Each structure stands twice: as C-alpha cells, then as structure tokens.
Amino acid sequence: MAAAPSLSAEMAGSEKRRPPPASEPGRLAASSNGAPEAEAAFLLQAGVSDMVRGALLKLLEARPEEPVEFLAGYFERLMQSTAEGRADGADPPRPPHWRLDRALWYLRLAHHSHRTAFSNNVGMAYDSLSACGRRKKPGVNGKLYSELLKMLFRDRGAAEEIVAPLLQKIMCRDHEAVPFDVFRYGVLTCLVHLEFLAKASALYEALDGGSGVADQRVCLAVLSTLEEALHTSGVSSPIRYLEAGSKLGPDYLALAMDKALAERKASVAMKKEEFLKKASTIFVTKVKPIG
C-alpha cells in the first residue's frame, strides 16, 4: 500500500498548480508580452504619431503665450482642413475668409517682442494667405493683405477713424503682389500701433484722474513731449517707437505738465478720442509709406 502523501507534499503540489498572482513579475510579463508593439503599430497606422509630432514642432516653432490653447486650435483647424479635403478632393482651393481667419490666428499667438516666434508666425500667416489651388500661383495679393490689416485692428477694437491714416500709408492695391518683407512690415506696424494706442489710452486715463475729461493744456504738453521724444530718437523701425516713448521719465512729463498749467490760458477739456487721434498722428508721421 502506498503511503499517504504528507501535508507538506500536498501544499507543495497545490502551490505548483496555482496561477501566479497579478502582482508577480511572471504574470506581468505574460500579460504585457507584445502589447507595446501592437500599440506602436496602431499609432503608426492611424497616423497619430506624425500628427502629434507635427503639433509639437509647430508649438516649439510658434512659442505661443498659451500653449494649450494653441494645441486646441491647431487640432481644430487640422480637422477642418481634413474634412474640407475629403469633401472637395485633393488640394482644394481655400476660400479667402478661411485663409484670413487662419492667418489672423497665427498672428495672435506670440507678442512681437518674441522676435523668433513672431517671425515664424508671420511666415505661417503669409503661407496661409498664399495657399490656393494647384491651378493658381502661390502668393499674397494686395486685397488679402489689406483685409488682414483691417482685421487686426477690428480684432482689438480700434476705432476706424483713428487707424485709417495709418492704413492709407501701408496698404497695397488689390491687384499688387505683396512680397514677404512688405507683409511683415505692415503687420508689425499695425501691432505696434495698437500697443502705442493702448499706452496713449493709459496715459490719458492718468491725466483725467478718472473724470473722463482732461485739461487740454496738459494733454497738449504731454503730446508735445512724446512727439519730441520720437523726433529726436531718429528711429525708423516701428518697434522702436514704443521704446522711444517709454524713455519719457515721470519727472520730464511732470515738468512739461507744470509748465502748461502755469500758462495763463483758459482751461478747456480734451476728450479721450481727440487725445488718441493726436497721439496716433504722431505715430503715423514716423511710419514710412509702402510703395
């Protein structure tokens, strides 16, 4: 008669038959065997890897102030582009409003002080306007270029009567071909002008003391000081106009204001709109016309 197995032998056999728990290395290796390869194949087949890589490259190229918003907009436009391509066939011509919206989106991404990112974004905006059907030659015409400049001002809420003199100096005729250097100059001039107007608006609010109206004598003295700073600086680049204006120290402005108030003239109010128009005229006078 065979001897009955001992308790220890039964336990050892049971341990051999029991599957390893999920936390053991053997179990982990068995469950994940081949999974990375399958996942990589799926991403490659779906084109996701190239899509994400392209988005990250664009992100690094644009250096936007809001990276998450940039990526959301990038994928949204990518989906729109894919849907339109499927509906219209390969290489469909883009309607002007689509190209303008896309160009404006690129120009919103980075401040012009971030020179490398801004230059890249201006290049992408130019390419967006230039994108057209395969039957047409690439390039930006004066009509699209001028409309984009108007959109830049409308996007920031600038009054048309204030920015109209500047647009007259930097817009092109509808049929003209606009080279990239002219395109960049016009876009940069508009953006700097908007910032110049914002600084002028803040200056007026400091002069009116919250009342909504400021003393005309003080306003004219400040504007004269600003004009003198731009004139004596001798700068020719639009981006330097802001730097020249920012060099006006508070002491220098205070002396000009005290001198104006000391003059025995009747006090007349100047509204903010008039102040901004005069400040804009100072800026526009320094801008070199295109053509």
Side-chain angles (χ1 to χ4, degrees), residues 10 78 125:
E10 290 182 357
L78 186 64

Side-chain angles (χ1 to χ4, degrees), residues 252-267:
Y252 194 37
L253 286 173
L255 288 174
M257 292 164 59
D258 291 341
K259 183 179 179 180
L261 291 174
E263 296 179 0
R264 297 181 178 181
K265 294 182 180 179
S267 177

Side-chain angles (χ1 to χ4, degrees), residues 29-273:
S31 64
S32 62
N33 184 29
E37 291 80 1
E39 292 171 354
F42 168 75
L43 294 175
L44 185 62
Q45 183 178 6
V48 175
S49 299
D50 291 338
M51 188 186 306
V52 174
R53 186 182 298 109
L56 294 178
L57 289 175
K58 288 292 185 184
L59 179 67
L60 293 174
E61 190 177 10
R63 303 295 176 105
E65 297 177 355
E66 299 292 340
V68 176
E69 182 179 346
F70 170 85
L71 290 174
Y74 175 85
F75 285 118
E76 180 182 357
R77 282 160 178 77
L78 186 64
M79 290 300 296
Q80 291 175 353
S81 176
T82 303
E84 291 173 3
R86 289 172 180 171
D88 301 336
D91 197 20
R94 304 299 185 189
H97 68 84
W98 186 93
R99 288 183 277 160
L100 286 166
D101 289 341
R102 189 174 182 86
L104 183 62
W105 179 74
Y106 278 122
L107 297 178
R108 291 183 184 137
L109 293 178
H111 191 265
H112 58 77
S113 60
H114 303 157
R115 297 185 180 181
T116 301
F118 177 74
S119 295
N120 290 333
N121 293 338
V122 173
M124 289 187 282
Y126 185 84
D127 291 340
S128 297
L129 291 181
S130 176
C132 52
R134 60 177 62 180
R135 296 180 181 179
K136 296 182 179 180
K137 294 181 179 180
V140 177
N141 59 40
K143 184 176 182 179
L144 281 176
Y145 162 74
S146 299
E147 182 59 32
L148 179 65
L149 299 186
K150 294 176 183 178
M151 289 176 66
L152 278 173
F153 285 122
R154 287 199 298 265
D155 186 55
R156 306 289 182 89
E160 293 184 8
E161 61 272 15
I162 293 180
V163 302
L166 175 63
L167 288 174
Q168 290 177 0
K169 296 187 74 171
I170 61 176
M171 287 198 310
C172 297
R173 296 182 180 88
D174 289 354
H175 64 275
E176 286 182 318
V178 181
F180 177 73
D181 56 343
V182 172
F183 179 84
R184 187 184 187 281
Y185 174 79
V187 167
L188 179 60
T189 301
C190 288
L191 293 174
V192 173
H193 187 223
L194 284 166
E195 192 167 341
F196 187 87
L197 290 175
K199 292 182 180 295
S201 177
L203 185 58
Y204 181 87
E205 291 171 1
L207 295 177
D208 70 5
S211 64
V213 291
D215 192 303
Q216 185 185 56
R217 296 170 298 175
V218 176
C219 290
L220 293 177
V222 170
L223 290 170
S224 177
T225 305
L226 179 60
E227 183 177 13
E228 182 180 352
L230 292 181
H231 178 71
T232 56
S233 64
V235 294
S236 57
S237 174
I239 202 169
R240 301 297 181 188
Y241 304 159
L242 294 174
E243 297 177 3
S246 64
K247 292 179 180 178
L248 294 176
D251 294 339
Y252 194 37
L253 286 173
L255 288 174
M257 292 164 59
D258 291 341
K259 183 179 179 180
L261 291 174
E263 296 179 0
R264 297 181 178 181
K265 294 182 180 179
S267 177
V268 180
M270 177 182 287
K271 294 184 178 181
K272 186 176 184 178
E273 292 76 12

